[in-house]
Structure formats: structure tokens, C-alpha cells
Amino acid sequence: MKRLLITGAAGGLGSVLRVRLSHLAETLRLSDIGDLGEARANEELVPCDLSDKAAVDALVDGCDGIVHFGGRSIEDSWSVIRSANIDGMFNLYEAARNHGRPRIVFASSNHAVGYYPQSQRLDADANTRPDSLYGVSKVFGEALASMYHDKFGVETAIVRIGSVLDKPDGHRNMSTWLSFDDFVSLIERVFAVPKLGCPIIYGASANDAGWWDNSKTGYLGWQPKDNSATYRAEIEANTPRPPADAPDVLYQGGLFTAEGIYED
Amino acid sequence: MKRLLITGAAGGLGSVLRVRLSHLAETLRLSDIGDLGEARANEELVPCDLSDKAAVDALVDGCDGIVHFGGRSIEDSWSVIRSANIDGMFNLYEAARNHGRPRIVFASSNHAVGYYPQSQRLDADANTRPDSLYGVSKVFGEALASMYHDKFGVETAIVRIGSVLDKPDGHRNMSTWLSFDDFVSLIERVFAVPKLGCPIIYGASANDAGWWDNSKTGYLGWQPKDNSATYRAEIEANTPRPPADAPDVLYQGGLFTAEGIYED
Amino acid sequence: MKRLLITGAAGGLGSVLRVRLSHLAETLRLSDIGDLGEARANEELVPCDLSDKAAVDALVDGCDGIVHFGGRSIEDSWSVIRSANIDGMFNLYEAARNHGRPRIVFASSNHAVGYYPQSQRLDADANTRPDSLYGVSKVFGEALASMYHDKFGVETAIVRIGSVLDKPDGHRNMSTWLSFDDFVSLIERVFAVPKLGCPIIYGASANDAGWWDNSKTGYLGWQPKDNSATYRAEIEANTPRPPADAPDVLYQGGLFTAEGIYED
Amino acid sequence: MKRLLITGAAGGLGSVLRVRLSHLAETLRLSDIGDLGEARANEELVPCDLSDKAAVDALVDGCDGIVHFGGRSIEDSWSVIRSANIDGMFNLYEAARNHGRPRIVFASSNHAVGYYPQSQRLDADANTRPDSLYGVSKVFGEALASMYHDKFGVETAIVRIGSVLDKPDGHRNMSTWLSFDDFVSLIERVFAVPKLGCPIIYGASANDAGWWDNSKTGYLGWQPKDNSATYRAEIEANTPRPPADAPDVLYQGGLFTAEGIYED
Amino acid sequence: MKRLLITGAAGGLGSVLRVRLSHLAETLRLSDIGDLGEARANEELVPCDLSDKAAVDALVDGCDGIVHFGGRSIEDSWSVIRSANIDGMFNLYEAARNHGRPRIVFASSNHAVGYYPQSQRLDADANTRPDSLYGVSKVFGEALASMYHDKFGVETAIVRIGSVLDKPDGHRNMSTWLSFDDFVSLIERVFAVPKLGCPIIYGASANDAGWWDNSKTGYLGWQPKDNSATYRAEIEANTPRPPADAPDVLYQGGLFTAEGIYED
Amino acid sequence: MKRLLITGAAGGLGSVLRVRLSHLAETLRLSDIGDLGEARANEELVPCDLSDKAAVDALVDGCDGIVHFGGRSIEDSWSVIRSANIDGMFNLYEAARNHGRPRIVFASSNHAVGYYPQSQRLDADANTRPDSLYGVSKVFGEALASMYHDKFGVETAIVRIGSVLDKPDGHRNMSTWLSFDDFVSLIERVFAVPKLGCPIIYGASANDAGWWDNSKTGYLGWQPKDNSATYRAEIEANTPRPPADAPDVLYQGGLFTAEGIYED
């Protein structure tokens, strides 16, 4: 690719992946509402508020691909979620439609299906079951991506991300952990396949205790290599076993199911 | 019920159903942004803009049940859809959570699954596949209802309405027609069952050429009685057969799939 | 048939069906541990305790078909359930194996699947989920019938009976009601089909609010005709709507889920 | 339609349907290798051997629709089956491709799935399981129709016909019976729908004891009205119950499963 | 755990696992009707007949976990099976209900599904299909465990054990083999997960020729490591290929399907 | 085996496998319509035209197993396909029926399901969807094998072969590649299992980007070891990414979907 846009590039995920994805394009265009720091060799920095339609239109112009980590990534008040994740998604897809339909990686979330019990195995055809306003905004985003694919041909990899961490650190992310290496290899596959479509992919490593079945998107050729079980002995030694009725044990979305509605 | 709220009561659907549903409650509270006309015997009229959070909160206060027809019911620009169908839904569910969690009939739409081909049979577990910003807003509404059910116990009948008409008048609504009688009997069942949950129900009569399978919500005891086939001879005599590649023939959402994005 | 055995013929169900099934055989052999009253024209009365192996062997000898209503039909202590429903079943199937393998109607029960929520539709492939020792004994009986079919060729119609009543009288049996007429027509079909096998059939009339799908046993040609909805208006007028968290509303097995273990 | 071709018009099925389908087109072109008798008012008679490619090409030229009953309709030697049902199908589809792709009703057969046990319910996604060379030739025909649809846009209604009779006359056709009225209404629907595709439809009336589930082709709007159960009492009175291990009782294809390979 | 009860600890399986599981608890309480030998360091020996309700109650008192290998593990007469596997299970679950509901590993068996053909892949939702009175007693045990979970919150890992052997030694256990290492790691997982529920798990190693799919219980994080294929060359060299119609080749339950009913 | 017949032994596949399979039998009988070269140590060469019934009968006589690679393996005119793949299959199965029913490996093809999109995962129950006359002839062959199994007990491994190559060389065979080693191990398993039946197996290596799920035939114990991903970097370096609408990217059958009908 000539130019790959990464939104949310100043966030926890974005600040790691701007380094790890630099080989994917001649130029990385990095955007965030927060401080992006110094530009590295092949980076260009474009601060942007995703709820500003004109700004997003300019941001997308000239890009061949988009990795969309921008927006709010935890629960928040309705006005924050709506601006960042609902208006923001609409603006991004309108821009993509108007500027050559670059392929998009959309950071959706396990919180789109967070109210499923942990004992239930899910695949790409599971109905959504969001656990928060944040989760609802991700369902909105998935629906928008689906419509822009069916109607306008914009291709999106909808990634229901589990827990991107250096290593797993507790019961729930024994199942949800996604290593950086595996996430990078997924993004590489998304931009390498001749035809992407608009698949739903669960973003988790090859964890022994995984909940999610990606076999329906096998055509992408993505095979995660890491396994949270490598860290099990260490975690079980350091972490008390949570009670059987803790939200972190009952539901795939964990603690998100236990939060109320945030006031503005 | 003591008081049943009908939103969108001045619209095409609402203006018929305010009459047909009057037996369900001692008082019907009717609301709309448009002109509601004169109040009938057991009606109280409360004009309201659904995007006004405080007004919606007051509107819901004191109601035992809600039939939510309000919002925009066809494609429109983003700002219209967002205010009426996204902000409006959030405001309604927040008010319901705060005022005793009345049971809700949510007028979702076949346009939440409008990009499925007409040859594909769907049931309540079909993934959404919206055909328009309008359809995307209905997916948002379904997700919000699901989350308020799982998290706060608000019960909603999500009705993916087909085509509510006096009688069917063309190819597509031979499959999508929902008669007023059948719609009324569905709403009666929703408020009669001891436990509703948050089911997805396709709102169509017992049409010979139907696309949708409601067997998973059989516990509601709803059995539509009307059948578009009654009108087939008349329709085929008066309407030329549409071409095989017309949007009205290809997709369940019909012409909605053929519309672009509306500018504000 | 020359001789049809009805066990449990003095019970609530048996005492009605001994009359309604008399056309099926030249002789009805009626058995019970309780008082069978006077023998009618084509009846022969054979009192029998099902836990007595030798007595059951004699009882079955000479019969072409068996309708097995015998045993305990509600929750009870382990020793009662075990004698009547576990030992009794073993004795009956051993006798059937030894005496020409007459075809059997086994009165299993919805309590074999009583812990499913009422909102879940079941068919013949649903895993069992019993709600009581009684329900567990019915799962045992189904398993025994299955094994005697696979291994010895004894054919059984396993009927998971709902609620056999003159007419439905409350919320739960709007879904579970089985009319006497429909039950009789089912038993007629079981003895008429050239090959029965060992199917699981849900014993319910054609109720609008039914939970169970018998399509997999369509080859039997049984089509129930009655519908609890005929009585809905009357029931809803006379019966208060039960609360949403009542066992009678939550689970298919209704109140059985609320009983503890009975001491001997 | 201007001109509808019926092949096999001198056969058992064709000779009835040439009368019953005459309202579907201005002209019926009737073809057979056997004697077609006298032409009626809107008929034109075109004798033709289906294995003659040039003759079939001429036969199809000028037709808007085809009802293909031609070919061998029971088991026969390989050379007969191959000429009539394999070469014949290829010739017909080549002609259709070359002459405007008229819509086709293809008389496939239950013998394409004849080795399924009668206790198994099938729908349009069942794998084929033919019971004879005849059945294998029907699987070939279905595959050819599928390929001409995917590749060249020829639309075919693949009808796995059960038993077309005035009325059912034995155990097996209590399940397989297709009345003439129901068959005619099916063919009417095939030519009336705006888009047909290439569906597999089981050709049976609404028999209580049916084996086949047509719900996946509900979009056609076909609802058979007749029911073999109307004749059950009469049949059971006149016909002894066949033994449980008779081919007519074991397999959906009945006696076809019991025939060997015919020598030329 | 403070105290883990192993029933059947003198049997083939128990005598190995009492050693292999000693790290799971401070004290192992070992029970059997047979000779338990000498107590090792952290063992306490409690001889017990499982059909003795009071004795079982005392046996369970004070235990945090139970590995239930007790009972009859091959086909036997009804009175033996009933006492050991039916009464014994009831007594154990009553004791567990009364003494703090310790988590249970229940040694169910592949003979609960023994009549499936070896060519059919099964998962946790397969209907039971027992092959013997022994198999029927295991279905009873599974049903009892399910009911005690739904009603009283007792958690059980239902393990349908294949063939626990040092190494596989014939055709059938190329598919059914469960190594001791893999069995131990399964039991470790059962007692380590925060919430167990009442899952059905097939107890087999990661055999190339396996019949069973455990993906639905992936949340346990159990991944067997051994593979019978390691021994294939050796086995095929030493064992003649069994005939295609041998019970050991036809059915998952193997030779159990070929045994009759044992007399007392 | 004493004698294994390989048809098509002079073809691309056959000429490799005649060497790789020589350990499977004391004698390899090799047949082709083309030049078979010199006979090696345990080979006997029998030239044969598969459309010659008597010659095929003699060819099969005395063989214990058959690997059927013969016939036309790419698209061709109807007369070529019919002689080689339709008449040829019939002749082979008639000979097998008449000469002791040797077990058969039938080289079917992914072109029997070639019109499925590459994004759709298939297993053994997928309906056929052929992409060419060649693909239709393979569906015919599968149906014939199925019928000869159900009716006459001839066992066949139906292998829907992907792309047998030394190594993958482009986008599509990253998914379809079958290495020679993996193909040989599959054929070994087919002749080693005690009971084969008539399974459908997708012939592909363990490719990261595979489309096909062989879990339903796990009982065969075949586990391919090779993976096209080994060659991915090399291929992506040397091959331009094909456009998203190329037949080689859209359909599982690749370029076969783009060919017309060949004239004789």
C-alpha cells in the first residue's frame, strides 16, 4: 500500500501497532484526538476529531487502507459514545465511500456479544448481545460496515477484539487474549487477500480455553500462533480463583456487564 | 393496563392503531412530533420530540406499556435518522429504565435484514443485514433493546415489520404484508403473556409466499390469520410482473437497497 | 390387534383411555395396582404391581400391543419412583423382549425436558433436562426403550406427554394441553404405521402457543386437531396473569421445578 | 407465455397435464417419442427423440417456457437411461441456452433421494441418495440444471416428484402423493414468480404423513391443498399393512431400491 | 482442595488415579467396596457400599470435590447395575446436596452413546443411544447430575470416557483411547475453572481417528496431548484387520452391543 | 492387497502415484488409454478404454482395490466427457459389482462444488454445485458410487480433489493444494480402515487458508501434514495479487467457472 491510515494511533493499541504495522505501507498516516508524539520515518501525523465530518473526509483522502482503532474503547456516557463511535463511524464510512473505498479493519469488540455466558461457543453467525452502550455502538458499527459493503462495495474486516495485552493476566483473558503478534498477522492477512468481503472475525489468539470459532473465515488464511495457556501456571499461582458468580466468570463481556449507565 | 403510550401516533401506522388498540388500556397516551388531532374518549395527547431527553422522560412516566412507532420510518439523511431513531431510542429506553420498566413493542423493520435475497428464509437468529441508514438505525435499536433487557430487565418485543397495508398491492408485499388485524393480535399477545423476554418477531401475516419463520417465538401464541394470496389474482391482473433483476424482486428490503445516502 | 395391554388403567389417564381405545383390539387387558372396577365387554382385568418381575412377565404374555401408563406420574420419594418407574420399566421391557416384542406406547413426560425455559422451542433431538426424580425416571425409561429397540427390535413410541385434560385451565397448559381426541388419534397412528421405530413425540395438541416441534416424526401421519386457543378468552378472564418469575412461567416443567426431594 | 413446450406429452403425466396447463400459454407445443394423438385448439405437436441434438434444438426454438416430463420415468437399462435422461437433458439445456433461456420445470424424482429411510425428514439441502440408475440420472439432471443456472442464467424449478395419481392407493403414497391440482398450481407459480432461480422443490401434496419440508422455497408462494389422509380410511380398509421390512416401508424410494441392474 | 473423594479407588482406573491425582488435595479420601490396600501419605481409606445411603452420606461429608469412578463399569445383571449405578448415584448426589455441594467428576461412558455408528461424529448435544443396561445406567446418571445442577446447583463434569489404557491396542481404541496423562489434565481443569456448570465431555485423547468433538466445552481449557496414531504401525502389524461387520467396527460401543441381558 | 488397479495411470497424477502407491499391493495393475511406458517390478500394464464395457470388466477382474483416476480431468466437449466420465464410471462400477466388490478410491473433484464462493466453508454435506460439464460428470460419478454402495455394498472413498501439485503456485491453490504425501496417506487410510462406507472427503492438505472441513470423516484417521502457507511468502513475492472479481478469486472452482461449452 501507498498510504495506510491508523485512527486512534495515540491510544494503547494504536501506539504499539503504529510500529508493528509500519511495513504494510510506504506511508502510515496516523490520527488521533490525543497527542501523537513525534513522527517516525514513514509516518505522517494528522490530528483529527472523528465527529468532525469534514476533517474525517480529508483524513481519509489519499489512503489505500484504514485500520480504525479510533473512538471510545470502554464504556462512557451516551454523548461520548455517540460522538466517538456512532457519528465517528458514519463519518469514516462516508469518507471511504467518497475516496476510492479503501479496505478497512474495524476494531469491533467482544462487548458486542458480551452477554453470552462464557460456557457458550460462538462463531461469526452468533446474534449480537451487547453488554454496554459501548457494545451497542460496536453493533451499530458492524451494521454500518455491512450496509456499506452490500450497497457500496466497501470491504471491512470486522474484528471482535478480545483482550490485546502483552500477556494474559487473569481468568477471563485466558480465553480472550490476543497477542500483538497474532493481531499483526491478522491485519497482514486482511490487506493481502485478493477479496475480503465483510467478515466477522473474533480477535483472539489460539488459546486452549478460547470461546470463539473462526472457522467460517478460514479463507483468510489467518492462524494465530500464541496461546494463553503458556501463562496459566503463573497466573493461577498469582491470582485467586474468582467466585463462580462474578461477572468476570459469568459473561464473555466480563465486568462490562456490571456497569450502569454513565451520566454526562 | 392503566396507561399505554403510543409514540408516532400521528403517523400512518399510529393513526390507525390508536383506534384499534384502545381496548388495551384505560388510557392511551398518544405522542408525536406531528399533529395528533382531537383526543378521543380514553386518549391523552402529549406532543413530544423524541430527541429531547427530558421530554421523553416525562412522556414515559406513568405508563405501563409502550408501543413505539415513533421516529423516522423511511430512509433519510444521517442527521434526521440519528436524532429520531438513535437518540430517540436511547431517550426512550433511559426513560423506561427510570420509570418502572414498562413492556415495549419496538417497531423495528425488515430493512434490518433488507439485503438478504428474497429466496432466503430467515428466522429470529438471522444475522442483521441492513439496507439503508434507516435499516442500520433499526439494528442499533434492536441492540439497545437487547442490552436493556439483559442488563436492566426491560422487556421488548422487537417486531421486524414487513408492510402494514389495508391489502397487498404488488409483488414484494405478497411476502411482506401484515394486516392490521394481525398486527393488533400480535400486540395483544405481547401485553398478555406473563413473560415476554426480548424476542425478535417478523411482522407479517400468514402469507403463502412468506419469507420469515416465527416458530422460535411460538411461545407467544401469536398466529396471524390473513394471507396475501387472497389478493393475488387481483394483483397479478393489475400489475405487470417486475423484471427478475429489479431491486423489488432481488432483495427482501426491495427499493431501499437502491437508494443512495441522503445529504442533509 | 387381538389383545392390547393398558397399564395404569385405573389412573386418571387410563380410566378415560380404556374406553376411548377399546376399538383398537379384540380384547383390552387392563392392569393397575389400584382398583380397576368392573370389566366392560371386551376387557380383561389383571391387577399387577409393576415392580414384580414375574407378574409383569405374565401380564405381557399374549399381548400384541402395550400402552404403558403405569408407574408413578408425579414427583415422589426415591423408593417409590425407583420401584414404579425404574424397576417397572425394566420388568416391562424384559417381558416384551420375551413375548414377541409387542409395540409399545411409553408415557414419557415433558418433565424429561422440564428445565428448558418456556421461550425455547424443542424438537425430538433436544437433550433431556429433567426437573425432578420423576423426570429423571422418564429419561431412564426413554434410554431403556432406545436400547431395547437398537438391540432387540422392540418398537416404542416415546410420548413426552404435556397436560392431558378435558380442556386447558391456565397459562402453562395453553402450551402443553393434549386433548383426549388428539391423544387417541396419536395412539391409533402408532399401531397403524407399518414401521414405527423408536421416535420421540411431544404429546400436545395443535396449540397456538405450543413449544414443541414434531416435524421430525411427520412420517407417523399424526396431526392433532385441537387448539388451546379456543379457551383462551375464558381462561384469561378467570385466571390472573401469573408473575413473570413464577416457576409455572419460567420453565416448561412448571411447578415440578419448585419441588424438593421427597423423603421416604 | 406465447408458447410453452411440454416434453413427454404422450406419457401418463403429460397426457393429463397438456389439458390442465393449456391456460398457461397461447400455444402449447407438445412433444414425445410416442403417439401424441390429435392436436387440440391451442396445441402444436412436434414428435422428437430427445437424444437427437438437432431435433431438440429445433423443438425448443421459439418457446418461452418448458415443462420437461420427457425421458424414461422408471428404471431401465443403462443405454435407455443414458439416451433418454442424460443425453436428453444435455440436449435440452443446450437448446435452452441457445434460444433465449426459457424457464424450465424439470421433472426430477424422489428417486434422487430414494435411499433415505422413510423416518427421515428431508428438505432442499438434503444430499442426494439415488436408488437406481434412473435416480442417478435425475441427480445428473439436477446437477446440469444447477450448472446452467450458475453459468448461463437458465432458471429451473427442480421438482422431486413423489407420486402423481388421481388418489393415493397404498402405504407409501400416503406420504408421496401429489394431486394433479397441486401439481398444476405449482407449475403456475413457477411461471408466475418474477425471479425463479434454481430451487429444489419436493412435489407432494399437503399430506399428513409427508416426509418433505418445502419451507426453504416458500418464496414461490406454492401451498398444496390436497391431503392423502382424506383417503386413509378407505386405503387401510382395502390394503393389508405391509411388513415392517418391506422396501416399500423402509425407504423413501420404495420398490426401486429392490430392483437390480437391467441388462440391455 | 482440602479433601478430595475418589470412589471406586480400588478399581483399574481408581488405583492408577489415586496416585496421579494426589497433588489435587491435602487429603485424598479413597473409597471402594473392594480392597484398597495400604494408605499412602495423604490418603484416608473409607470402604463403602454405594448402595448404602447412610454410608455414602458419611463418605461425602467433609469433601470439597469428588471423582466418582465407583459403581459397575461393565455390563452386568439388572440387580447389580441398579444397586451400584442407579441407587449409588442417587445416594451420592443426595449426599453432595446435603454436604456443601462439592464439585463432581462423574465417570459416564461412551456406552451412553454406544449404538451410534463409528462413522458418525458426535458432540455434547448428541442424543443418548445406550448399548447395554450399563449404558442405560450411565444415561440415568447423566440425567440425575443435570437435575441436581439445575435444581440444587451441584456442578458435575460428565465425562463420557472412551478407553483408558496405557496405550491403545486395537482398531476401536484408535478412536476411543484416553491416556492417563490426558485424563489427569482433564480432572485438573475441572477443579481449576471458576465455574464448571454441568458439561458433557468426551473422554478421549487427541486421536487422529477420533469420533468426538469437544469444541462446545472449550471454555474448560482442556487440550489432550496424546494421540493413538503414535501406536498405529505397531497395532496394525500385530492385529488382523477386523471384518467390516464386526460389532467392534460397526458401533461406537463396540462389543457391548453384542451382549444380551445378564440374568441374576 | 494382492492386486491394486490404478486407472489413469499414465496421467499427471497417475504417473506419480504408481510409484508412491506400490507398497500397497503385491501387484499394481496399471491402466490408461495413453502410453504407460515400461512396467516396473510389481506392475502389470493393461491398456484400456474406459468406455469399452467388456474391456473394463476384464480390467477389474482379479483386483482387490481400485484407485480410479481415469477419465477426462478437465473441461471438454460433451461427447468426450460422456464417454470417459459417465460411460466409464458405469462400466467400472458394473465390473466392480461383478467381481467381488473391491474397495474404490474415486477421484472426484472440487469442480463438483466449484460455484460456491471462496468465502464459504463446506463440509461433506454441502449440496453439489458443479462449474462445468466436467464438474457435472463428477456429480454423476458421486451419485453412482452412492447408489452402488446403498444397493450393492460397493465401498467408495469419494475424494473431491483440490490441486495436486509439488507445491502451490498461486492464490487459489493456497486453499486447494493437496501434497503428494498427504494424498498417499489418505489412500493408505482408505485401504486400511476395517469399514469404509461411502464418505465424501475433500482432498486438500492442512492449508491455513483451507475452505473445506473434513471433520465428518474423522473416523478414517486421516490427518494431512502439509500446509501451503509454507510457500506463501515465495508466492506472494512472485505473483501479483489477482483482482477481487477474477474467477480465480470468486469461486472455489476458479477458472472452470469462466469456460463456455466446448463443441465437439
Side-chain angles (χ1 to χ4, degrees), chain B residues 171-183:
Chain B
H171 160 71
R172 184 170 158 276
N173 51 49
M174 290 304 290
S175 298
T176 60
W177 185 52
L178 174 62
S179 73
F180 284 106
D181 280 356
D182 284 334
F183 200 2

Side-chain angles (χ1 to χ4, degrees), chain D residues 82 87 131 151 256 259, chain F residues 82 87 131 151 256 259:
Chain D
R82 187 191 47 186
D87 278 330
D131 59 20
K151 201 166 218 167
F256 278 55
E259 294 181 272
Chain F
R82 187 193 48 187
D87 278 330
D131 59 19
K151 201 166 217 166
F256 278 55
E259 294 181 272

Side-chain angles (χ1 to χ4, degrees), chain C residues 183-203:
Chain C
F183 199 2
V184 167
S185 73
L186 170 56
I187 295 170
E188 287 172 348
R189 293 302 310 139
V190 167
F191 289 110
V193 292
K195 184 178 173 63
L196 174 62
C198 191
I200 292 174
I201 306 145
Y202 291 90

Side-chain angles (χ1 to χ4, degrees), chain C residues 33-67:
Chain C
I33 199 171
D35 179 17
L36 287 157
E38 296 281 304
R40 289 185 186 74
N42 69 339
E43 295 179 348
E44 60 186 30
L45 310 186
V46 184
C48 180
D49 180 339
L50 292 169
S51 67
D52 178 340
K53 189 162 195 274
V56 173
D57 187 82
L59 179 68
V60 167
D61 191 5
C63 295
D64 308 294
I66 302 175
V67 175

Side-chain angles (χ1 to χ4, degrees), chain F residues 190-203:
Chain F
V190 167
F191 289 110
V193 292
K195 185 178 171 65
L196 174 63
C198 190
I200 291 173
I201 306 146
Y202 291 90

Side-chain angles (χ1 to χ4, degrees), chain B residues 179-195:
Chain B
S179 73
F180 284 106
D181 280 356
D182 284 334
F183 200 2
V184 167
S185 73
L186 170 56
I187 295 170
E188 288 171 347
R189 294 303 310 141
V190 167
F191 289 110
V193 292
K195 184 177 172 65

Side-chain angles (χ1 to χ4, degrees), chain F residues 140-204:
Chain F
F140 167 87
E142 295 186 357
L144 195 79
S146 166
M147 192 268 278
Y148 273 79
H149 179 249
D150 279 331
K151 201 166 217 166
F152 303 117
V154 178
E155 293 187 305
T156 301
I158 296 170
V159 187
R160 289 184 180 158
I161 298 173
S163 307
V164 185
L165 298 165
D166 281 323
K167 56 180 198 177
D169 60 7
H171 159 71
R172 183 170 159 274
N173 50 48
M174 290 304 291
S175 297
T176 60
W177 185 52
L178 174 62
S179 73
F180 284 105
D181 280 356
D182 285 334
F183 199 2
V184 167
S185 74
L186 170 57
I187 295 170
E188 287 172 347
R189 294 303 309 143
V190 167
F191 289 110
V193 292
K195 185 178 171 65
L196 174 63
C198 190
I200 291 173
I201 306 146
Y202 291 90

